[in-house]
Amino acid sequence: MDQTFHPRLTVLTHPLVQHKLTIMRRRETSTGEFRSLAREVSLLMAYELTRDLPIERVPIDTPLEPMMAPSIAGKKLCIVSILRAGDGIASGMLDLVPSARVGHVGLYRDPATQRPVEYYLKLPEDVAERLVIVVDPMLATGHSASAALGRLKAAGCNNLRFACLLAVPEGLSVLAAAHPDVPVFACAVDRALDEHAYIRPGLGDAGDRLFGTK
């Protein structure tokens, strides 16, 4: 746990996560390989994010005898993707929890104010009753993540987590100021943002690398 920039920050240091992230960072990694690795890393992230889900005992029949077996209790998960790059993370998490509901928040950066503007929102009707994991590969300025979390709180959500591949101190500080109650999970905290708000050393534009658009 590294709480230097956010009071509830967890950096996922598992060797497989770190190894796969290193391959994703490489310039020569192809679109297909990048997309596949993003899916694999996201599945591993989902394992960490869900390790404290509540458990109850339910009656089942094994081939040999009845028993009381552990099962996840109550309403389960909703994964909310910040479009468009968040879909590259959501898909891997759904491999682990295919029954999870999925929501989407569309945001773009206003060129004049540099602030996020919402253009799309679609959430499950019972989203407020679920653990909601908000996903975006990069936590750069932190404004989009903060806006998405704020929108979900306005929808009644009070069990929120944010997950990303890379974060920087600037974005973590913005989230710490706006949403100190929301746990943040990142695979790495990079050095800083450059003058164009790109994460350095980073891995490039995650959306372009996921979808081969540049």
Side-chain angles (χ1 to χ4, degrees), residues 17-35:
V17 170
Q18 294 302 310
H19 174 76
K20 292 174 186 294
L21 180 60
T22 293
I23 301 173
M24 294 177 71
R25 289 183 187 270
R26 290 175 177 159
R27 182 193 298 268
E28 63 269 23
T29 298
S30 68
T31 296
E33 190 176 12
F34 187 95
R35 187 183 300 138

Side-chain angles (χ1 to χ4, degrees), residues 32-192:
E33 190 176 12
F34 187 95
R35 187 183 300 138
S36 178
L37 286 162
R39 198 178 190 108
E40 293 169 10
V41 171
S42 302
L43 187 150
L44 294 168
M45 292 172 69
Y47 176 84
E48 292 294 336
L49 269 76
T50 57
R51 63 167 52 252
D52 60 349
L53 289 178
I55 291 290
E56 62 182 352
R57 297 281 172 174
V58 298
I60 67 166
D61 292 314
T62 77
L64 299 178
E65 65 181 47
M67 70 171 289
M68 297 297 292
S71 178
I72 295 173
K75 293 284 187 179
K76 300 178 177 64
L77 301 179
C78 177
I79 300 169
V80 174
S81 166
I82 299 179
L83 297 173
R84 64 178 169 150
D87 281 358
I89 305 299
S91 61
M93 292 189 172
L94 287 169
D95 287 343
L96 185 66
V97 282
S99 63
R101 300 294 188 266
V102 179
H104 292 90
V105 180
L107 300 163
Y108 71 88
R109 187 184 301 172
D110 185 289
T113 65
Q114 299 297 306
R115 306 296 293 184
V117 178
E118 181 184 304
Y119 67 88
Y120 184 78
L121 180 71
K122 187 71 172 180
L123 302 172
E125 289 185 359
D126 63 351
V127 67
E129 301 172 36
R130 295 175 177 270
L131 166 60
V132 179
I133 300 174
V134 181
V135 296
D136 198 356
M138 318 294 274
L139 179 62
T141 65
H143 296 312
S144 292
S146 181
L149 291 169
R151 193 69 174 84
L152 285 159
K153 286 182 176 179
C157 300
N158 56 22
N159 190 5
L160 290 158
R161 297 175 189 184
F162 180 81
C164 60
L165 296 176
L166 301 182
V168 286
E170 296 95 322
L172 289 166
S173 295
V174 167
L175 277 195
H179 303 288
D181 57 314
V182 176
V184 176
F185 295 79
C187 299
V189 178
D190 277 13
R191 183 177 69 249

